[in-house]
Amino acid sequence: MKRPPVTTTSLGSLEERVMAIVWEGPGVNVRDVAARLGGKLAYTTVMTTLDRLHKKGLLARAKHGHAFV
């Protein structure tokens, strides 16, 4: 079964907020995004959201040290 294309309407509100932060500047990591979200979400929540966006094909990532950027 072929997956439908991902559109902005298929993103949740947190995913939309995270994508807006990613589009602001290049090379953000989980800590950067969590801080820009106001530090109100758990690190693992932000990490999972970024991973889901990567799996949807909306984000590219590269390993820098121990973290993905």
Side-chain angles (χ1 to χ4, degrees):
M1 178 181 268
K2 190 174 182 179
R3 286 178 47 186
V6 176
T7 63
T8 54
T9 57
S10 66
L11 296 179
S13 62
L14 178 57
E15 290 175 326
E16 288 178 1
R17 290 170 41 208
V18 168
M19 287 303 297
I21 291 167
V22 171
W23 287 328
E24 287 176 5
V28 295
N29 60 28
V30 177
R31 288 192 197 285
D32 296 333
V33 175
R36 292 184 194 174
L37 287 170
K40 296 180 181 179
L41 295 171
Y43 178 91
T44 54
T45 300
V46 178
M47 181 175 58
T48 300
T49 303
L50 287 165
D51 185 57
R52 286 182 181 164
L53 291 167
H54 172 72
K55 288 178 181 175
K56 289 181 179 183
L58 297 173
L59 294 178
R61 63 183 179 193
K63 190 127 182 178
H64 287 272
H66 294 289
F68 284 107
V69 176

